[in-house]
Amino acid sequence: MSSLRATFTLSFAAVAAAVTVLVGFLSYDAAARLVRVDQQTVFAEVVQDLRDQVRERALYPADFAASDSDHDGPLDDIIRPSRTDVQVLGPGGVIVDRGSPPLPVRAADRAVADHGTAGGLDEHKEVDVRGDRYRVATVALGGGRGAVQVAQQFSDTEDLLRELQQRTVLLVAAVVVAAGLFGWWLARRITRRLVRLAGAAEDVARTGRLGIQVPVTGYDEVGRLGRSFDRMLVRLAQSEEDQRRLVQDAGHELRTPLTSLRTNISMLRRIDELPPGVREELVADLALESRELTDLVNELVALAAGRSDTEPVRRLDLAELAEDVAIVARRRSGRDITVTARGDTTVEGRPTALQRAVSNLVENAAKFDRVGAAPIEVVVSGRRPGAEAGVDPSAPGAGHPGPARVEVLDRGPGMADEDLIRVFDRFYRAADARSLPGSGLGLSIVREVATAHGGAAFAFRREGGGTVIGFTVGVQRAGDGGR
């Protein structure tokens, strides 16, 4: 996470540096261009004004004397607007009034001083005077009377621009440093919750404990990630707890048939000494215990597979599925089993899981209704007109919001209130049922299947005696509710 913070900081600083450098370069270039063009324009205007003056009237070197007390001569007209340096030359290029600083007089300047035409021009773009750079132009007075040299220092302008350049560089550096510091602060603020979340994940990976408190704050993507991670840990902890309970309960339930089998197997060594009736009883008991052990193992495997079932979800008719279950149950038990369908019983679900749930309900009813005077009824109903969402599905005759409902009705001895509450718990067996074969997992599997299909299991006493046990299939796609 520290690398993420460093990456964010460097990226923020790099973007800020690039933007600042670009803006600074463009600003400096525009300012420098503007200043240079402006200075050159002013100098050109001064030179042109001087040429116009000497063309309008005859002027002499003395007219440009620096000793003019009224400051209304042609020299002041040149100096005022541009703060230029002026040096006056007489005939032959002799310096009459030295400039400050003195300007160099070349052969070309002497030739201009002797020029006969007023306004003649010799322009030097750049001249080095005592280490400073000047822009110099020499204008002829005409008639060989001399010339006037006008100079404009632009080294000061370049110094100003260099200072501006240095300040721009310092400003860019300051902005980059400030951007880096701000980026580090912002990255620390943004990644702080991610750091805590990563720490929690590392603690889980290191210790294996799923009950670690996950820091969850905010409603942005990081907050959503924290809440999702917290819910995942809760689900994993619940799954681990369910697995632990299943192993403990299975171990407890497996001890009884295994103990019985060991006892009976030990007696097989003396089978020749046993009377024929005892032998038949021993063999029958072995067969019964082996079947019970097989059923228990099969139901444990089915329950452990539970919601990890990879059977695809498809559309099916729950009434037809119940009729298939009833056909098999009639053949096995010899009981009269009726199937009644009401409304549209088409659902989306896993056929094998739903078939096992219905089969467990029918087998449970056949086991407890030992008299068999009345048929076992299987009622499959779709949404009934006028059914209200939110009505308790366990209420007799209640409408239900889901698209399908399976009820198995028997006329057995019924259940006590405390048994109705716990009948779907794993390995729970009512006091009256402990003498009967079974593992106590059948109805638990029914609840698992119903939950995986977005529904719920229910049980209540039937009017006139007996029990109604069943489950609903919810409106959501099968499997969504249990994942």
Side-chain angles (χ1 to χ4, degrees):
M1 192 58 64
S2 59
S3 60
L4 176 61
R5 184 178 298 172
T7 301
F8 190 89
T9 303
L10 292 176
S11 300
F12 194 89
V15 171
V19 173
T20 306
V21 168
L22 180 62
V23 172
F25 172 77
L26 294 177
S27 300
Y28 170 78
D29 183 69
R33 191 187 305 275
L34 184 62
V35 169
R36 292 188 178 109
V37 170
D38 182 67
Q39 291 291 326
Q40 188 172 1
T41 301
V42 170
F43 181 75
E45 291 176 352
V46 170
V47 173
Q48 186 59 43
D49 290 342
L50 176 60
R51 297 181 69 186
D52 292 340
Q53 285 184 0
V54 299
R55 286 170 180 169
E56 290 175 358
R57 57 193 179 97
L59 295 175
Y60 292 87
D63 294 328
F64 294 91
S67 59
D68 183 8
S69 59
D70 296 334
H71 300 289
D72 57 355
L75 178 62
D76 297 300
D77 294 336
I78 299 173
I79 295 177
R80 275 195 210 102
S82 61
R83 300 191 301 274
T84 54
D85 184 27
V86 177
Q87 180 169 277
V88 182
L89 303 179
V94 177
I95 298 176
V96 175
D97 190 353
R98 190 178 300 275
S100 178
L103 301 177
V105 180
R106 303 180 306 165
D109 299 322
R110 297 187 183 93
V112 172
D114 293 335
H115 203 281
T117 304
L121 177 65
D122 178 55
E123 184 175 3
H124 317 298
K125 291 185 177 180
E126 292 186 11
V127 174
D128 189 359
V129 180
R130 297 181 179 178
D132 293 326
R133 304 298 294 174
Y134 283 81
R135 184 180 291 111
V136 180
T138 305
V139 179
L141 297 179
R145 294 188 296 271
V148 177
Q149 288 182 302
V150 181
Q152 181 189 56
Q153 183 181 1
F154 61 86
S155 59
D156 289 343
T157 302
E158 295 300 323
D159 292 341
L160 177 63
L161 292 177
R162 278 194 295 271
E163 184 177 356
L164 177 61
Q165 186 180 42
Q166 294 173 356
R167 291 188 179 185
T168 301
V169 172
L170 292 177
L171 178 62
V172 169
V175 170
V176 171
V177 172
L181 294 175
F182 179 76
W184 177 84
W185 174 83
L186 187 61
R188 185 172 180 271
R189 182 179 180 85
I190 292 175
T191 60
R192 181 169 50 195
R193 291 179 294 164
L194 286 176
V195 170
R196 292 201 299 265
L197 190 59
E202 291 170 356
D203 289 341
V204 172
R206 184 178 64 256
T207 63
R209 293 186 295 108
L210 301 176
I212 292 177
Q213 183 68 29
V214 178
V216 179
T217 57
Y219 296 93
D220 54 2
E221 287 76 4
V222 179
R224 289 168 52 194
L225 176 62
R227 280 186 289 274
S228 298
F229 185 70
D230 187 56
R231 286 194 296 268
M232 181 187 69
L233 289 182
V234 171
R235 294 293 297 274
L236 287 175
Q238 183 62 44
S239 177
E240 186 180 61
E241 176 63 19
D242 291 343
Q243 183 181 21
R244 184 185 62 81
R245 286 179 50 240
L246 178 62
V247 171
Q248 290 178 348
D249 294 343
H252 175 73
E253 292 296 324
L254 286 171
R255 288 191 187 99
T256 300
L258 288 175
T259 301
S260 179
L261 282 173
R262 282 199 303 268
T263 302
N264 291 331
I265 290 172
S266 65
M267 294 184 66
L268 288 176
R269 299 174 181 175
R270 301 165 48 205
I271 193 169
D272 294 337
E273 304 174 7
L274 300 177
V278 176
R279 292 179 188 176
E280 294 179 1
E281 183 179 351
L282 176 61
V283 172
D285 192 35
L286 280 171
L288 178 62
E289 291 294 344
S290 63
R291 284 196 302 270
E292 288 293 323
L293 185 59
T294 300
D295 293 341
L296 178 58
V297 171
N298 290 336
E299 289 181 341
L300 282 173
V301 171
L303 191 61
R307 297 171 185 175
S308 63
D309 193 353
T310 57
E311 182 185 9
V313 175
R314 66 180 181 88
R315 199 161 188 80
L316 56 93
D317 190 334
L318 200 54
E320 292 181 0
L321 183 145
E323 183 62 42
D324 294 340
V325 171
I327 292 173
V328 176
R330 291 188 195 106
R331 184 174 64 250
R332 288 179 177 177
S333 64
R335 296 290 303 273
D336 185 11
I337 302 173
T338 64
V339 178
T340 304
R342 299 172 182 170
D344 182 12
T345 58
T346 303
V347 299
E348 289 185 348
R350 295 187 173 94
T352 303
L354 290 172
Q355 186 174 21
R356 183 170 184 82
V358 177
S359 178
N360 285 355
L361 291 176
V362 174
E363 291 176 1
N364 184 78
K367 180 172 62 176
F368 285 95
D369 186 5
R370 294 184 293 273
V371 177
I376 296 173
E377 301 176 34
V378 180
V379 179
V380 183
S381 56
R383 180 186 292 274
R384 289 191 288 270
E388 298 178 358
V391 177
D392 184 3
S394 64
H400 58 91
R405 172 187 179 98
V406 178
E407 297 176 337
V408 176
L409 302 85
D410 63 60
R411 287 298 182 184
M415 293 186 184
D417 292 337
E418 58 271 18
D419 294 333
L420 290 173
I421 297 174
R422 300 188 56 193
V423 68
F424 295 102
D425 291 347
R426 292 175 182 173
F427 301 106
Y428 178 77
R429 303 182 71 188
D432 296 339
R434 290 171 187 167
S435 60
L436 299 175
S439 62
L441 288 175
L443 295 183
S444 177
I445 293 174
V446 172
R447 183 179 63 181
E448 293 288 338
V449 172
T451 302
H453 285 75
F458 57 86
F460 54 88
R461 286 194 293 271
R462 185 182 183 186
E463 294 183 5
T467 308
V468 179
I469 304 180
F471 64 93
T472 60
V473 178
V475 295
Q476 63 191 113
R477 289 184 60 85
D480 292 347
R483 295 188 184 276

